[in-house]
Structures are given as C-alpha cells and as structure tokens.
Amino acid sequence: MIGMAVNLTAVTFWICAPIMVVLGFGMVLARKVVHSALCLAGLMVALGVLYASLNAPFLFVAQLIVYTGSVMMLFLFTMMLIGVDTADELKETIKGQRAAAIVVVVALAGLLGFTVLHGIVGPSAGLAGVNNAAGGNAQAVAQLIFGRYAVAFEAASALVITAALAAMVLSHAERLTPKERQRERAERRVRQFASDALPVAPNPAPGVYARHNAATYPALLPDGTAAPGSVAPALEARGQAVVAEPALKLPAQSLHNRLAAQAAELDGRPRLMADLPDAAPALTAKTDASAEADQEVEK
Amino acid sequence: MNENYYLVLAAILFAIGVAGFLTRRNALLIFMSIELMLNAANLTLVTFADAVGDLTGQIMAFFVMVVAAAEVVVGLAIIITIARSLHTASIDASSWLRR
C-alpha cells in the first residue's frame, strides 16, 4: 500500500516537473507577453498538482483559485489595458547584461540545486498523521491559522484591504471634462444643428438601410453613401468595416436611375440613360448626376 | 520517492524566474518572473512541511500567497498608471526622473 502511494507520487512528480520546467523556459523566452502569461498559468496549475501530491489539498485549491484564477487573470486584464500585442523589444540597454545574467542564473541554479540535493535527510515524516488528527488537511490548516497564527492572519487581511484601496487610488483617473449627460447632449446637438447643420437625431446604427444588419456594414444615407460614424472606429481601423464596398450603393443607384428616367419622361426631353451611372462604381459620377437631376427638378 | 527532487525542481524554477527578471525589459514579464520565484519558494515550503511532518510550512506558503496577491494588485496598478502616461510597459521608458 505504501509502495503504491509512493509510486503514484513519483509518477505525478515526473509528469509535472518536466512540464513545469518547459513552461518556465517558455515564459522567459516567449516574445509576446500573452504567451508568457499562459505559460505561467499552466506552470501554476502543474505546481498545484504537486501541492496535492505533497499532502496539501488546501494549498492546491488555494493555488488554483488565487494564482491561476485571479493573479494570472489580473495579468491578462492588465495586458488588455496596456495592449496585448506589445512585443518585448529585444535590444539590450546595458551592454553585455544578458550574457552576464545568463552566467549568473546558471551559477545560481547550480548552487541552489547542489545545495538542496541532500537537503532532506532520511525518510519524510509525511503529513498523514497531522492531517488525520484534525480530521483533514483543511481543518488542520484552519486550526493553525485561526489559532496560533490568528494575529498574522488579521494583519494579512488588513494588508489585502489596504492593497485593494491602493489599487483603486493608483488606477483612478480624474475626469478632465465634466461628464456629458442627457440634457447637455441634447443642448449640444441643438446648438450644432444651429451652427453646423449637423443632424439632431442620434447617429444611425449599423445596418440601417444597409444590405446587411451585421455590425461591420455601415448605415446608408438616402443617396446610398455610407453614413459616417455608423460603424465602430475600431472596426474601421482594422479594415473590417465594409465601407468602400460599391455594392452597398447599388440599390440606391438603381432607384436613382429609375427616378431620373421618370423625371426625364415628365420633362418631355429625352435623356440618355448612358449619362447616368448604371452600376456599381463611379460614386462621383452618381453625385454629379443627382445634382443635375435636382437642378432639373427645380426648373 | 526522494523528496529532494522537489527542492531541485524549486531551485530550477527559481533560477528561471531570476533569468526572466534579469533579461526581459517588459514590466509585466518582470512581474511574472517575480511570481515564479515566489511559487518556487512556496514549493520548497510545502515540500519541507511534508518532509518534517509539520503544517507550519503550509501556513507560510499560504501567507506568501496572500502577500503575493496584494503585491500583484498594487504592482499592476502602478504598471497601469505608468503605461497610461508613457503608452508602454517597457521599464526602460520610465527613466524620466534621471533626466
């Protein structure tokens, strides 16, 4: 029975340890910070598994929740705030620093490794007795935390609360301009309507009068052109918005052509349909034609 | 099995953390390297708790976790504040006090 358990511990260790070392190297060597963070998250999961095999189920769960669950996700959130794809620049600021660092690290690893290679002498005592005496690992840890280490625990809670307050104070950004509420927005729109003849109504949502109601399709104005501001700027910057698609204007153009033909009929003057753009491109030609048609109507 | 292997693994992980701390220039990566070093120290504590048969090592690892969480919160807030004004997470950028 004992031999079985020892073997299982060894199997767990020899599965997790290479994974952890590889992931550790991956964290240091990855160009992108996101890849490093994912490597570290995987490493922490494997470390939690080692905790479980070392008779520390409470720390196993705490490791998963605190480190993998919150600390690494906090890192990912920070990356999203700063910019995910900021690759680390690889130029050395101090000349020869990287080579020196590698020498130091190899020396340190050798020193630590050889020091601890015989750090534990004799068979390990094991925690089964201690855990079973309290009725389980979590109970045993709880008796210690809320007993002998209660003051330290309270201090730690004060530390955590202070850290939360500090984070709020540090990352708080004061508003530079007063917030525009509904009343101010309405007043600004009316003012801009008076001064610049901007529309009073809200901006059209994506997909209004468009060929498709996906968010990447801009709203169309009655003359068939894409309404500015109806597609999120991020989509436009990424080139995902369908702004320059001539097919967007096809229905409006064909409608315009039909109306122009009817106007020509009412005028009595024959108008060459060849003058009018029939199909997709030539947005300028269409606007010229529409201006001409407007003049005809005014006459 | 020989529990010294756990200690060797912790030493290797700690050295990898030191390597990342010394060679990378991104503040987030430096922070992650520190986390890796803390984790390696935790592994040592838990290993010794099992070897000695005393739960104090686990308690210490638990407090290391608590302090590390608080440290990460404050550190990331500082990184965000710096990145907001400098638009980069590189630690070489924040040398304006020297100029």
Side-chain angles (χ1 to χ4, degrees):
Chain A
M1 185 60 202
I2 296 289
M4 180 73 178
V6 167
N7 280 342
L8 282 183
T9 312
V11 167
T12 314
F13 178 82
W14 288 117
I15 289 176
C16 285
I19 293 176
M20 286 166 73
V21 173
V22 167
L23 286 176
F25 276 114
M27 188 207 88
V28 175
L29 297 177
R31 283 291 303 276
K32 285 195 169 180
V33 191
V34 188
H35 298 164
S36 296
L38 290 179
C39 283
L40 189 57
L43 194 154
M44 286 171 171
V45 172
L47 188 64
V49 173
L50 284 193
Y51 286 170
S53 79
L54 279 171
N55 289 322
F58 172 72
L59 281 182
F60 161 64
V61 175
Q63 170 86 6
L64 286 194
I65 292 175
V66 174
Y67 268 119
T68 324
S70 44
V71 168
M72 290 320 296
M73 294 313 119
L74 207 56
F75 271 104
L76 288 180
F77 278 131
T78 313
M79 262 166 239
M80 283 191 254
L81 282 176
I82 292 178
V84 169
D85 38 281
T86 48
D88 204 5
E89 71 261 38
L90 289 177
K91 74 170 172 52
E92 281 182 307
T93 316
I94 308 169
K95 205 166 180 303
Q97 186 241 4
R98 190 159 296 156
I102 288 170
V103 170
V104 165
V105 164
V106 170
L108 181 70
L111 183 68
L112 285 179
F114 280 114
T115 311
V116 299
L117 199 52
H118 303 289
I120 299 172
V121 184
S124 71
L127 284 168
V130 184
N131 284 343
N132 289 338
N137 177 253
Q139 286 90 333
V141 169
Q143 281 177 5
L144 274 176
I145 288 179
F146 297 111
R148 201 195 305 172
Y149 298 100
V151 178
F153 185 71
E154 291 301 325
S157 73
L159 177 74
V160 169
I161 291 174
T162 316
L165 277 178
M168 279 195 278
V169 171
L170 278 173
S171 60
H172 175 74
E174 206 66 48
R175 285 194 75 89
L176 295 177
T177 53
K179 187 171 167 61
E180 187 183 49
R181 294 181 186 285
Q182 196 175 13
R183 180 170 189 89
E184 289 87 35
R185 193 180 310 130
E187 283 168 355
R188 173 178 60 77
R189 283 214 174 113
V190 171
R191 242 191 347 267
Q192 286 181 336
F193 175 68
S195 59
D196 305 332
L198 290 178
V200 187
N203 284 333
V208 174
Y209 301 126
R211 307 294 305 278
H212 197 278
N213 63 359
T216 50
Y217 278 73
L220 293 185
L221 296 175
D223 62 345
T225 52
S230 62
V231 173
L235 290 175
E236 257 175 79
R238 263 189 251 152
Q240 288 179 342
V242 195
V243 174
E245 186 74 54
L248 284 178
K249 297 167 194 133
L250 266 180
Q253 281 184 359
S254 62
L255 180 67
H256 166 76
N257 281 357
R258 220 169 61 228
L259 288 178
Q262 285 173 1
E265 260 179 44
L266 289 177
D267 279 345
R269 280 194 289 134
R271 186 185 298 226
L272 286 178
M273 287 302 287
D275 289 346
L276 299 169
D278 197 24
L283 177 60
T284 52
K286 187 186 70 62
T287 46
D288 289 350
S290 63
E292 194 185 322
D294 288 347
Q295 285 171 3
E296 292 293 330
V297 169
E298 279 171 17
K299 279 176 194 171
Chain B
M1 76 173 267
N2 188 353
E3 284 204 321
N4 286 315
Y5 293 146
Y6 286 99
L7 301 180
V8 175
L9 174 66
I12 292 173
L13 290 181
F14 190 89
I16 292 176
V18 174
F21 181 81
L22 287 179
T23 52
R24 301 302 297 260
R25 322 276 349 135
N26 190 314
L28 280 173
L29 251 159
I30 288 175
F31 227 159
M32 282 193 264
S33 304
I34 296 174
E35 291 304 310
L36 182 53
M37 287 190 264
L38 288 172
N39 270 299
N42 268 355
L43 180 58
T44 313
L45 290 173
V46 176
T47 307
F48 270 114
D50 190 59
V52 179
D54 189 342
L55 275 176
T56 310
Q58 291 192 13
I59 305 290
M60 285 168 79
F62 172 74
F63 279 119
V64 168
M65 273 186 199
V66 173
V67 174
E71 168 234 344
V72 158
V73 166
V74 175
L76 288 181
I78 292 174
I79 289 179
I80 288 178
T81 314
I82 292 177
R84 241 189 223 145
S85 52
L86 298 181
H87 300 289
T88 175
S90 169
I91 52 160
D92 293 330
S94 43
S95 63
W96 72 88
L97 280 180
R98 204 177 52 187
R99 282 184 235 122

